[in-house]
Amino acid sequence: MVERNCRSGINPSEAFRFLVEEKIVCQQSQKAKYTQRVDYIVQLPVPMDQATNMEELQEAERRREEVESTGAPPPAVTCAQIPFAACLAALSEPETLTDFWSSAVQTKTTATKTTRFASFPDHLVIQIKKFTFGLDWVPKKLDELYIFFFFLAMFNTMTC
């Protein structure tokens, strides 16, 4: 929509544009396929197993189950504290694809998909994925998350 209305001027969404490269490797033939796509926002997954307060979360879950069985009022919500670096690492870690159709071996097999930045935007927009799928494929909202952001002061030393 923005591109259509910026015929004669500068497109403001170009400041957020970047390329994402996906590499899919067939585990049987070891052949790789590279694809690039344009994106404007990074959707970071939330690795709940990387929470820094895991013991506190387990204790809160135990108390919640006790309260549900007795019918007492619910306890205070305990928030998961997840480092931002763990979210970035989860974005770039390899993902296993099952039932992948390999054109090299002409059958379904497993593959590994790796995602990385092919280019970087002037301004990066980050969205934290607050929904996940359970073991029964039912979507679940991750309530009350604390993501620790660590901002680094980066100075551009290059001259134009």
Side-chain angles (χ1 to χ4, degrees), residues 130-143:
K130 288 194 69 165
F131 289 91
T132 185
F133 289 99
L135 296 175
D136 54 356
W137 290 98
V138 174
K140 296 178 183 178
K141 184 176 181 185
L142 302 174
D143 290 327

Side-chain angles (χ1 to χ4, degrees), residues 15 29-30 51 63 66 81 96 99 146 148-150 153:
S29 67
Q30 294 301 312
R63 282 190 310 240
E66 286 177 4
Q81 299 174 354
T96 301
D99 289 337
Y146 287 140
F148 295 125
F149 287 92
F150 296 105

